[in-house]
């Protein structure tokens, strides 16, 4: 019995797509959802131009559409299929193989990027299952992204160095200049990527152990971790965030900073939120100074996380009368409104050590709770603030001089450099 038999029997939505035999040395599968996509070939070219790793690599592209997809998108899908099929006929070698699968008429309730990723990643699991390779690597990539030439090699190296790794985030950088887009789009993506990096690093500075980027085009997981956590979800947007929030708490989650994914900064209305939608909003509304979560909210969260150990084994009276009163008002208010003691009491019932307590504490106060707390705080206590102001405040606490730095692009370069080195 192979490692994923039970998962595939229960979770797989469609029969096997790829009939080609699986190479015994298959080690890495790149999965790419593709819907109404005019720029797939440059993404495939970027992967083709990669240095070949030791193991065999497969790339699975899924061209998908829903029951109610408009004819214009269906026409683009047909064009993409024809172009990609022709391209793949001349781009195959012993180490790198490309496959295209087509799944039209996805049910309206689930049609979207999450379901497409699930289909492709489940197919990847099935490929690894044929050679019973539970530590096979599956990556998420996008049909409008490119990458550095060492992308495949560095992913293989990470999982070779850490054979029990459950997953990894891959360093990404949106292009900030060029002739492919209007300057307004480059200005918008600089602000949006700065926001993504600010949010992650502010959460990390506050002391949350699950603070990692969750970008759909730049992550990798082991096949075993993928099936252990129930596979990809079928969300129509935000699927990457929700999926990785199941993988990250497993531990043994790493960052690959020796290569890059280069996502497109283009506008998009295909999903209700995410990078493309954010850039569209920036452009449509002429946003020049993006307002985001006030840095003070993260500082107050840090005051809470700094005292996590104090909550180990506490009774309700101690919690209410001794510990809560020491916390900032915004945190205290949220914990009461959320009835957090109920979760805390359950955690303490099942923890014999402080290490176990910490793990369960942050499993309860997870990334979803952080987001809920931030929204609550900004509804009741504080106003949003300029991303430029917030980003500089965090850098000051990280002991990085920002004197004379005023633009989103300049700050973003500092953030990128900081992340590479830490």
């Amino acid at each position: 019995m192979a490692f994923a038999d039970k998962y595939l029997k229960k979770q797989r939505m469609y029969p096997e797509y790829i009939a080609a035999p699986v190479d015994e040395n298959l080690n890495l599968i790149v999965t790419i959802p593709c819907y109404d996509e005019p720029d797939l070939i440059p993404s495939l070219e970027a992967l083709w131009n990669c240095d070949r790793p030791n193991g065999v690599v497969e790339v699975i592209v899924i061209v998908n559409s829903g029951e109610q997809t408009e004819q214009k998108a269906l026409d683009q899908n047909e064009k993409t299929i024809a172009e990609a099929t022709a391209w793949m006929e001349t781009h195959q070698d012993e180490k790198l193989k490309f496959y295209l699968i087509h799944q039209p008429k996805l049910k309206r309730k689930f049609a979207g990027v999450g379901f497409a990723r699930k289909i492709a990643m489940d197919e990847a699991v099935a490929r690894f299952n044929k050679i019973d390779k539970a530590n096979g690597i599956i990556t998420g990539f996008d049909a409008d992204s490119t990458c550095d030439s060492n992308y495949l090699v560095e992913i293989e190296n990470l999982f070779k160095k850490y054979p029990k790794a459950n997953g990894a985030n891959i360093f990404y950088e949106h292009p900030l200049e060029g002739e492919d887009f209007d300057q307004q789009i480059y200005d918008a993506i600089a602000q949006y990527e700065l926001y993504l990096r600010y949010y992650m690093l502010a959460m990390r500075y506050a002391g949350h152990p699950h603070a990692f980027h969750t970008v759909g085009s730049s992550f990798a997981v082991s096949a075993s971790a993928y099936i252990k956590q129930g596979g990809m979800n079928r969300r129509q947007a935000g699927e990457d965030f929700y999926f990785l929030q199941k993988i990250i708490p497993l531990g043994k989650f790493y960052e690959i900073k020796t290569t890059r994914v280069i996502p497109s900064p283009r506008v998009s209305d295909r999903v209700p939120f995410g990078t493309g939608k954010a850039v569209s909003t920036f452009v449509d509304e002429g946003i020049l100074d993006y307002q985001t979560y006030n840095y003070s909210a993260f500082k107050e969260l840090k005051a809470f996380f700094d005292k996590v150990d104090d909550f180990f084994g506490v009774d309700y009276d101690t919690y209410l009368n001794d510990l809560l009163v020491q916390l900032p008002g915004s945190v205290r208010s949220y914990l009461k409104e959320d009835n957090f003691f109920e979760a805390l009491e359950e955690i303490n019932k099942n923890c014999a050590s402080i290490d176990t307590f910490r793990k369960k504490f942050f499993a309860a106060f997870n990334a979803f709770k952080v987001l809920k707390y931030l929204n609550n705080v900004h509804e009741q206590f504080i106003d949003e603030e300029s991303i430029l102001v917030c980003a500089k405040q965090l850098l000051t606490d990280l002991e990085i001089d920002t004197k004379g730095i005023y633009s989103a692009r300049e700050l973003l370069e500092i953030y990128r450099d900081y992340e590479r080195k830490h």
Side-chain angles (χ1 to χ4, degrees), residues 60-291:
I60 299 177
V61 179
I62 173 170
V63 178
N64 65 98
S65 57
E67 292 175 326
Q68 297 184 335
T69 297
E70 295 181 357
Q71 189 60 45
K72 182 180 178 182
L74 294 176
D75 291 343
Q76 178 60 63
N77 278 0
E78 290 300 323
K79 183 179 179 182
T80 297
I81 291 170
E83 292 175 348
T85 300
W87 183 92
M88 289 179 185
E89 288 177 355
T90 58
H91 293 80
Q92 307 280 350
D93 62 30
E94 292 183 355
K95 284 294 189 73
L96 181 57
K97 304 179 187 301
F98 291 83
Y99 297 103
L100 186 145
I101 60 181
H102 181 210
Q103 183 56 62
K105 298 182 179 179
L106 296 173
K107 290 187 180 299
R108 180 185 178 186
K109 182 178 180 180
F110 299 116
V113 65
F115 200 1
R117 285 198 198 279
K118 175 177 174 56
I119 292 171
M121 296 180 81
D122 283 357
E123 187 72 8
V125 167
R127 302 288 288 169
F128 283 125
N129 197 52
K130 288 186 175 182
I131 55 174
D132 199 19
K133 189 162 191 174
N135 64 343
I137 309 161
I138 305 172
T139 78
F141 202 71
D142 279 350
D144 60 355
S145 295
T146 61
C147 59
D148 287 342
S149 61
N150 63 344
Y151 169 80
L152 301 175
V153 170
E154 292 304 313
I155 293 172
E156 182 185 75
N157 286 345
L158 184 282
F159 282 82
K160 182 179 180 180
K161 182 177 180 180
Y162 302 107
K164 294 184 179 180
N166 289 308
N169 160 258
I170 304 163
F171 197 80
Y172 67 91
E173 290 184 344
H174 294 90
L176 301 178
E177 60 184 4
E179 299 180 356
D180 294 331
F181 303 96
D182 293 338
Q183 187 59 44
Q184 190 178 16
I185 290 179
Y186 290 119
D187 292 342
I189 199 61
Q191 288 196 74
Y192 186 68
E193 186 183 319
L194 178 61
Y195 155 72
L196 293 177
R197 296 190 184 281
Y198 158 74
Y199 186 99
M200 190 281 287
L201 284 177
M203 185 173 164
R204 187 171 290 181
Y205 179 75
H208 204 293
H210 302 163
F212 292 92
H213 288 294
T214 54
V215 178
S217 61
S218 53
F219 71 86
V221 295
S222 70
S224 59
Y226 177 83
I227 67 172
K228 181 177 182 179
Q229 298 302 81
M232 177 58 71
N233 57 76
R234 294 181 287 184
R235 297 181 64 87
Q236 295 181 345
E239 80 296 337
D240 42 9
F241 174 77
Y242 282 85
F243 171 70
L244 289 173
Q245 293 310 322
K246 295 192 299 182
I247 300 295
I248 292 169
L250 291 175
K252 298 182 175 62
F253 191 88
Y254 300 91
E255 293 175 304
I256 301 174
K257 302 178 182 180
T258 49
T259 189
R260 288 183 309 162
V261 171
I262 307 168
S264 173
R266 72 183 185 187
V267 299
S268 174
D269 58 2
R270 291 177 294 180
V271 294
F273 52 89
T275 302
K277 179 62 176 177
V279 174
S280 295
T281 302
F282 275 66
V283 172
D284 293 344
E285 299 182 7
I287 297 173
L288 301 176
D289 188 15
Y290 181 57
Q291 302 293 297

Side-chain angles (χ1 to χ4, degrees), residues 354-390:
I354 189 66
D355 289 338
T356 302
F357 172 79
R358 291 180 191 131
K359 184 176 180 179
K360 289 183 177 293
F361 178 94
F362 285 109
F365 207 104
N366 54 24
F368 301 106
K369 286 282 188 184
V370 171
L371 187 58
K372 188 177 178 181
Y373 154 78
L374 290 170
N375 289 329
N376 180 278
V377 166
H378 286 80
E379 288 173 2
Q380 299 188 34
F381 293 95
I382 55 178
D383 294 328
E384 292 183 335
E385 180 60 275
S386 162
I387 182 59
L388 303 181
V389 172
C390 295

Side-chain angles (χ1 to χ4, degrees), residues 300-319:
E300 293 180 349
L301 194 62
K302 177 176 171 56
F304 176 39
F305 291 160
D306 283 349
K307 294 180 177 294
V308 165
D309 289 2
D310 295 344
F311 291 84
F312 178 46
V314 298
D315 56 32
Y316 182 70
D317 286 341
T318 303
Y319 170 81

Side-chain angles (χ1 to χ4, degrees), residues 388-405:
L388 303 181
V389 172
C390 295
K392 292 185 75 170
Q393 289 174 331
L394 173 57
L395 289 176
T396 297
D397 278 347
L398 295 175
E399 300 183 346
I400 297 173
D401 183 19
T402 60
K403 186 177 181 180
I405 303 296

Side-chain angles (χ1 to χ4, degrees), residues 2-52:
F3 79 96
D5 284 349
K6 289 183 179 179
Y7 170 84
L8 292 169
K9 183 177 181 180
K10 181 179 180 181
Q11 292 280 357
R12 196 172 190 181
M13 304 298 294
Y14 295 95
E16 178 178 278
Y17 291 94
I18 302 171
V22 180
D23 192 300
E24 289 291 332
N25 294 313
L26 178 64
N27 190 47
L28 169 61
I29 299 179
V30 180
T31 61
I32 308 177
C34 182
Y35 165 77
D36 192 16
E37 179 53 64
D39 298 319
L40 175 62
I41 299 302
S43 297
L44 300 182
E45 290 278 3
L47 292 167
W48 177 252
N49 291 330
C50 281
D51 303 327
R52 302 297 188 262

